[in-house]
Amino acid sequence: MAQLWGGRFTKETDKMVYEFNASITFDQRLYEQDIQGSIAHASMLAKQGILTKEEKRAITDGLEQILEDVKTGKLEISEKFEDIHSFVEATLTERIGEPGKKLHTGRSRNDQVALDMKMYTKDETLMLDGLLQQLLQTLFGIMEENLDTYMPGFTHLQKAQPITLAHHVGAYFEMFKRDRGRLYDMYQRMNVCPLGSGALAGTTYPLDRDYTAELLNFDCAALNSMDAVSDRDYLIELLSSLSTVMMHLSRFCEEIIIWNTNEYQFVEIDDAYSTGSSIMPQKKNPDIAELIRGKTGRVYGALMALLTTMKGTPLAYNKDMQEDKELVFDAIDTVKECLALFTGMIGTMTFRKDQMERSAKNGFTNATDAADYLVSRGVAFRDAHGIVGQLVLYCIENNLSLDEMPLEAYKKISPVFQEDIYEAISMKNCVERRTTLGAPGKDAMKVVMGLYKTYLEEN
Ligand code: ARG
C-alpha cells in the first residue's frame, strides 16, 4: 500500500478497503495528463514566487523524465499506489528528493483529477471527431457513386416510394454531421480549467489560475471552485452524444443486416468484415454489424450509470465521482472501435444495384406516381388513390408489377390512362421528378452534395 495520507491514522487501512478505494488500476491511463497538469502547476508556482527557479527546474525535468520513461516502458506504473496522482508524486520525490514534496502546494487531488479527466476528454473528443469525419468522407464517396442507384424507400419496413442509395446514405450523413456538432458544443462548454480550485474552496496561496488555464490550452479558468471540482456534466454530455452516435450506427447496422439477408441481397459484406459458422458451411454472417448494434447497450448503460451516480451527490467532491472513469473510458474505447470498424465495413461493402432496383420495381413503390399521373389529368386525388388501389390489386392477382401491366388493363380500370403512363411511372422518372430541396431527385441531390463537399473541406 502506498498512499499520500496517513498522518492522522493510527491503524493500517484494511486490505480490502484499500483495494476498493484505489483507482490506479484504471486511472493510470491518465498519466500523461497528470504529468502535463503538474508541469503547468509547478511553472505557475514558480512564476508566483511560491517555488524557486531551481525547484521548478528540478520538478519539471523530473516530471518530463517520468513521462518519457513511462512512454518508453522504462518505468512501470506500479499498482501498489492508490492512484495515478500518488504514483507520479511519489516517483518524482523518490527521484529528485525535497523539491518533489513541494509540487502539491496549493493543489488537491480533487482539482487535479478534475483537470486530468477534462484534458483526457478533450484529447479523446478530437479523436472521436476525426473518426466521425472519416466516416462522413466514406459515406460521401458512396453517395457520389450512387446518385442513380434506385432502391425502395421504406416506412414501417414496407416498400413506400423509390429513392436512391445516395439519398438513403445521405440521411446518415446528416445524422453523423449532427453528432459532430454535439461533440463540438460539449467541447466548447467544458473548456474551462478547474486547476487551482483546491479541494473545494480555492487556496490561500496567490495562484495565477488564468496562467495555468492558458498553459494547458483552456479557454479560461472555472469561476466557482466548488463546481469546478464536482462538475461531471461534460462527461454526461459526452456520454449522451456518444449514445446518439451508437444509436445512429446501430440503426445503420440493422439496415445492413437486413440488406445482407438472402431475401434482400442489397449488399454483400466484404469477406474481411464477415464471419463464418462452425457448423453451417454456407453461412457468411454480419457479426460486425450485429456487435456494433449490441455494443450500443453498454454505451447507453454508461450514460444511465453516471447520471444515477451523480444524482445524490451533495457539493462538492465525493468519492462517488471516481466511478466516472471506467464508464467513460469504456464508452470512448467502444465508440472509437465501432466507428473505425463500421467505416471499414461500409467502405468495402458491395452494393447490388440490380437487386435494389428490382426490389423497388416489385413493390409498387411507383403507386403514388401513378396516382399523381391521374391527378395531373384532372382526377381528384382521393379518386386517383382508389383507382390505383384497384391497379395494385389487379397486379397482385396477376403477379405483375405496375410497369408490366398491359395498357388495356389500365384503361379498363380508368380511361384516363394513356401510353405515357409507363414513362410517368418509370423508376427514373419517379425519382428524378422529386427535385425539392432534400429530395432524392438528382438535381436536388447535386445541390446538397455541393454543400456536403464544402462542409467536409471546411470541417
Ligand atoms: N481517485 C479519485 C477520483 O478518481 C481522485 C482522488 C480524490 N480523492 C479524494 N479522496 N479526495 O475521483
Side-chain angles (χ1 to χ4, degrees):
M1 297 184 206
Q3 54 213 23
L4 296 171
W5 40 272
R8 60 102 72 209
F9 288 78
T10 53
K11 257 193 187 175
E12 281 262 303
T13 321
D14 177 271
K15 190 171 176 294
M16 253 176 88
V17 170
Y18 184 81
E19 281 168 9
F20 188 66
N21 189 54
S23 52
I24 187 89
T25 51
F26 49 86
D27 69 13
Q28 55 182 282
R29 77 157 83 185
L30 297 173
Y31 75 88
E32 183 157 8
Q33 288 79 9
D34 198 75
I35 292 173
Q36 300 293 9
S38 292
I39 291 174
H41 182 65
S43 306
M44 181 276 295
L45 291 178
K47 182 178 95 63
Q48 299 302 95
I50 304 165
L51 289 180
T52 65
K53 267 200 184 127
E54 295 66 42
E55 287 167 337
K56 177 209 150 179
R57 168 91 334 170
I59 290 173
T60 51
D61 286 355
L63 287 170
E64 266 155 19
Q65 197 55 52
I66 292 173
L67 179 58
E68 196 187 312
D69 291 352
V70 174
K71 272 191 178 164
T72 54
K74 246 195 191 160
L75 174 64
E76 208 185 309
I77 297 176
S78 159
E79 295 194 357
K80 76 178 207 292
F81 290 92
E82 181 186 346
D83 52 32
I84 189 62
H85 327 297
S86 317
F87 167 78
V88 172
E89 192 182 319
T91 310
L92 180 71
T93 304
E94 188 190 298
R95 288 185 172 191
I96 69 167
E98 276 309 300
K101 294 194 207 156
K102 295 191 173 176
L103 170 63
H104 211 52
T105 314
R107 188 174 72 168
S108 158
R109 276 185 299 167
N110 296 352
D111 60 346
Q112 195 177 352
V113 76
L115 173 71
D116 292 1
M117 204 54 188
K118 274 201 159 175
M119 289 172 69
Y120 179 81
T121 302
K122 284 175 64 178
D123 290 347
E124 292 293 315
T125 301
L126 294 179
M127 284 197 243
L128 284 158
D129 183 65
L131 288 163
L132 280 166
Q133 153 94 1
Q134 276 171 30
L135 173 55
L136 287 173
Q137 290 281 9
T138 304
L139 297 185
F140 184 80
I142 296 171
M143 290 171 75
E144 272 186 316
E145 282 170 24
N146 290 284
L147 291 166
D148 298 306
T149 305
Y150 304 122
M151 66 179 284
F154 297 83
T155 63
H156 315 273
L157 204 52
Q158 304 275 322
K159 292 180 194 176
Q161 290 175 340
I163 52 161
T164 64
L165 179 59
H167 192 243
H168 195 114
V169 172
Y172 286 100
F173 191 98
E174 285 291 326
M175 293 181 226
F176 293 118
K177 187 155 65 82
R178 285 197 295 275
D179 287 334
R180 289 185 76 199
R182 266 182 279 273
L183 286 177
Y184 177 82
D185 292 345
M186 179 276 296
Y187 191 99
Q188 297 301 107
R189 223 178 341 271
M190 60 87 79
N191 201 9
V192 295
C193 186
L195 189 61
S197 295
L200 77 160
T203 73
T204 53
Y205 298 95
L207 306 186
D208 184 345
R209 295 195 53 224
D210 293 330
Y211 182 70
T212 38
E214 200 187 315
L215 282 181
L216 293 167
N217 260 322
F218 283 89
D219 280 347
C220 56
L223 297 182
N224 183 294
S225 58
M226 304 251 292
D227 177 54
V229 293
S230 64
D231 165 32
R232 300 292 182 272
D233 291 5
Y234 67 101
L235 296 176
I236 289 168
E237 284 190 62
L238 171 72
L239 292 175
S240 163
S241 307
L242 295 185
S243 292
T244 311
V245 170
M246 289 305 292
M247 183 260 290
H248 293 151
L249 285 176
S250 184
R251 290 182 74 182
F252 211 162
C253 283
E254 170 70 8
E255 298 203 297
I256 289 168
I257 292 162
I258 294 172
W259 292 352
N260 184 61
T261 57
N262 198 33
E263 288 70 22
Y264 275 75
Q265 297 180 26
F266 282 10
V267 296
E268 196 178 325
I269 300 176
D270 193 77
D271 277 1
Y273 286 89
S274 334
T275 46
S277 157
S278 60
I279 175 168
M280 298 164 284
Q282 83 282 14
K283 295 269 267 187
K284 195 172 141 185
N285 294 329
D287 284 27
I288 299 311
E290 289 170 13
L291 258 179
I292 295 172
R293 186 178 60 183
K295 283 181 190 288
T296 304
R298 58 201 281 170
V299 179
Y300 288 7
L303 171 63
M304 279 306 126
L306 189 56
L307 277 168
T308 313
T309 292
M310 290 305 292
K311 83 181 255 294
T313 50
L315 285 175
Y317 178 86
N318 299 271
K319 193 69 176 221
D320 313 44
M321 290 162 190
Q322 177 167 291
E323 283 291 303
D324 63 357
K325 284 168 205 67
E326 286 159 291
L327 297 170
V328 169
F329 294 161
D330 183 70
I332 290 176
D333 292 349
T334 302
V335 176
K336 277 164 71 179
E337 213 182 5
C338 289
L339 279 170
L341 281 166
F342 185 86
T343 303
M345 177 176 70
I346 193 137
T348 53
M349 208 157 73
T350 309
F351 293 96
R352 304 274 311 271
K353 302 184 184 194
D354 52 334
Q355 282 292 109
M356 289 182 170
E357 188 163 345
R358 184 169 323 138
S359 169
K361 279 191 177 148
N362 289 340
F364 303 108
T365 59
N366 45 5
T368 316
D369 298 86
D372 289 344
Y373 172 92
L374 292 171
V375 171
S376 70
R377 280 152 189 79
V379 181
F381 182 78
R382 196 42 65 206
D383 294 333
H385 190 283
I387 293 168
V388 177
Q390 290 178 52
L391 299 180
V392 170
L393 189 63
Y394 176 92
C395 286
I396 292 171
E397 281 166 355
N398 294 282
N399 197 21
L400 295 171
S401 70
L402 284 173
D403 308 67
E404 294 160 344
M405 183 170 163
L407 188 58
E408 314 91 76
Y410 268 103
K411 288 193 157 171
K412 231 185 223 160
I413 293 173
S414 167
V416 179
F417 286 115
Q418 301 298 326
E419 183 64 40
D420 58 355
I421 177 64
Y422 297 107
E423 176 70 10
I425 61 167
S426 77
M427 214 34 64
K428 185 169 165 50
N429 256 315
C430 293
V431 173
E432 298 317 336
R433 283 211 312 269
R434 294 181 144 74
T435 51
T436 42
L437 181 66
K442 205 171 185 175
D443 291 342
M445 279 300 293
K446 279 188 173 159
V447 173
V448 171
M449 293 296 282
L451 295 171
Y452 287 173
K453 190 163 183 276
T454 314
Y455 165 82
L456 288 174
E457 281 161 8
E458 290 174 359
N459 292 276

